[in-house]
Amino acid sequence: MRVDRFLSNLPRYNRQQVRLLLVEKRVRIDGKVVSDPHSEVLEFSRVEVDEQVLQPGKPARYFMLHKPQGCVSATRDPQHPTVLDLIDEPDKDDLHIAGRLDFNTTGLMLLTNDGNWSRRLTQPQTKLPKVYHVETEQEISAEYALKFAEGIYFAFEDLTTQPAHLQVLGPKVARLSIVEGRYHQVKRMFGYFDNKVLRLHRESIGPLQLDNALKPGEYRALCTEEIHGF
Ligand code: URA
């Protein structure tokens, strides 16, 4: 089979991505870099992208989960239930989380066994907006939106956050859109104003919206459009 067809048959790549992978010389067949889309993949060829071997025996899998409160965004934890405990799938130990949430944060969480896909989704260069519904202890003044749009200095990382968009929905309720995923980012942004976040819920990541039909703790597989939608 031609290598371009072999790659675009995998759910993780669309045709345009395959063309790019080949042009950028990121594909190897049996250890040799190939850029010609006609290069042959034989039955026992070893195909790699960015040094990751593509295993035809293990299909790529993608799930969205409605993370409930009180569960850890990790695949293993000695004390608490993890998001993986909510998944009932064969080979679930191959899955990893694309974009963690804090213990008490709820909402959209993505799990996959496709490292290229999760890297593309989470890397700051992709600039996918992550949208959060936020409830706070104190009132949210007009000043917040200006400061969040300007960026907040995080001393620990020695960086200023990317411009973020705040929509105030009520005295202590807002929707915040950020393009990064720094450690405790939303809580630290509100922390700049000494305002504690009481509830935090992720509604979407880029074009992927949490399915309203999913109750906390439930999950479903992503459809093809969702997988290729960003
Ligand atoms: N920002 C936070 O502070 N916590 C989360 O869980 C996600 C974003």
Side-chain angles (χ1 to χ4, degrees), residues 142-185:
E143 208 191 330
Y144 284 50
L146 293 173
K147 187 66 199 162
F148 289 176
E150 186 183 297
I152 290 184
Y153 179 66
F154 281 181
F156 184 73
E157 296 93 336
D158 188 24
L159 57 82
T160 300
T161 54
Q162 298 277 321
H165 181 255
L166 185 78
Q167 182 191 7
V168 179
L169 304 172
K172 300 177 182 177
V173 187
R175 179 168 287 122
L176 176 66
S177 175
I178 56 176
V179 293
E180 305 148 288
R182 307 273 167 210
Y183 181 65
H184 292 329
Q185 179 160 346

Side-chain angles (χ1 to χ4, degrees), residues 105-176:
T105 302
T106 58
L108 177 63
M109 170 144 281
L110 299 166
L111 293 115
T112 181
N113 59 354
D114 180 349
N116 285 327
W117 187 83
S118 55
R119 220 166 295 130
R120 212 154 33 85
L121 187 92
T122 51
Q123 67 191 1
Q125 299 93 292
T126 313
K127 292 207 178 212
L128 282 184
K130 289 113 189 132
V131 178
Y132 292 89
H133 190 270
V134 192
E135 291 176 35
T136 58
E137 197 170 66
Q138 319 289 334
E139 295 205 354
I140 302 167
S141 69
E143 208 191 330
Y144 284 50
L146 293 173
K147 187 66 199 162
F148 289 176
E150 186 183 297
I152 290 184
Y153 179 66
F154 281 181
F156 184 73
E157 296 93 336
D158 188 24
L159 57 82
T160 300
T161 54
Q162 298 277 321
H165 181 255
L166 185 78
Q167 182 191 7
V168 179
L169 304 172
K172 300 177 182 177
V173 187
R175 179 168 287 122
L176 176 66

